[in-house]
Amino acid sequence: GENVEQHPSTLSVQEGDSAVIKCTYSDSASNYFPWYKQELGKGPQLIIDIRSNVGEKKDQRIAVTLNKTAKHFSLHITETQPEDSAVYFCAASISPSGGSYIPTFGRGTSLIVHP
Amino acid sequence: DAGITQSPRHKVTETGTPVTLRCHQTENHRYMYWYRQDPGHGLRLIHYSYGVKDTDKGEVSDGYSVSRSKTEDFLLTLESATSSQTSVYFCAISEYRGGNGEQFFGPGTRLTVL
């Protein structure tokens, strides 16, 4: 089955700095890679996703890059703000096409942004 | 926010007692999932459902059972709770629209087994 490794487990940055979280996956058939943000006391929420036919995707201060050859993908947050402090999860799966959609999650990165 | 509620939100119980957690959705999504979240382990899938009365096991299904008799409700049962089942439990839903399978998560249930 799929195995997703996520690093670092904790990331501490100063407000305004950039933050990068990296994930690797094992199953070359995986083609859908979502990222979730979990604030304290809440459930995870999708913030950005990327498919394997795209190398990079941006949404304001957030970007995700994908290297299919190396089987790794990364989340980049620029100009970090204190409200970016949360736990971030990456996941990998085969894009749903009518069958079961079962993503495999990384273990999470706790991002702390210091004012 | 997607219409997902979980009940109870907090529960303390004793070892050996049965426990049922409920997930209710108002989105009419086909797929429903139960995860547990533990420090250092991220989100681990317990069971999932791909339709009414259609369920399958995830990676950590031992000691858990599920039922889905209606589209909107997905129940997770711990037949005889153990301390190792102390965790935060999340329900999630998803649907296929245009190839997207975004999962929406509920607020979680914190379960403590003494």
Side-chain angles (χ1 to χ4, degrees), chain A residues 59-77:
Chain A
D59 183 3
Q60 300 183 336
R61 296 186 296 108
I62 293 174
V64 57
T65 59
L66 172 65
N67 183 326
K68 287 189 297 181
T69 303
K71 291 202 281 252
H72 66 71
F73 55 113
S74 300
L75 178 71
H76 304 253
I77 306 174

Side-chain angles (χ1 to χ4, degrees), chain B residues 28-56:
Chain B
N28 200 35
H29 281 18
R30 177 182 176 189
Y31 295 87
M32 299 186 75
Y33 313 76
W34 277 108
Y35 291 91
R36 60 178 290 174
Q37 184 175 30
D38 305 288
H41 290 277
L43 293 159
R44 293 183 292 174
L45 182 66
I46 305 171
H47 282 279
Y48 67 99
S49 170
Y50 45 97
V52 173
K53 298 186 179 178
D54 292 323
T55 65
D56 206 347

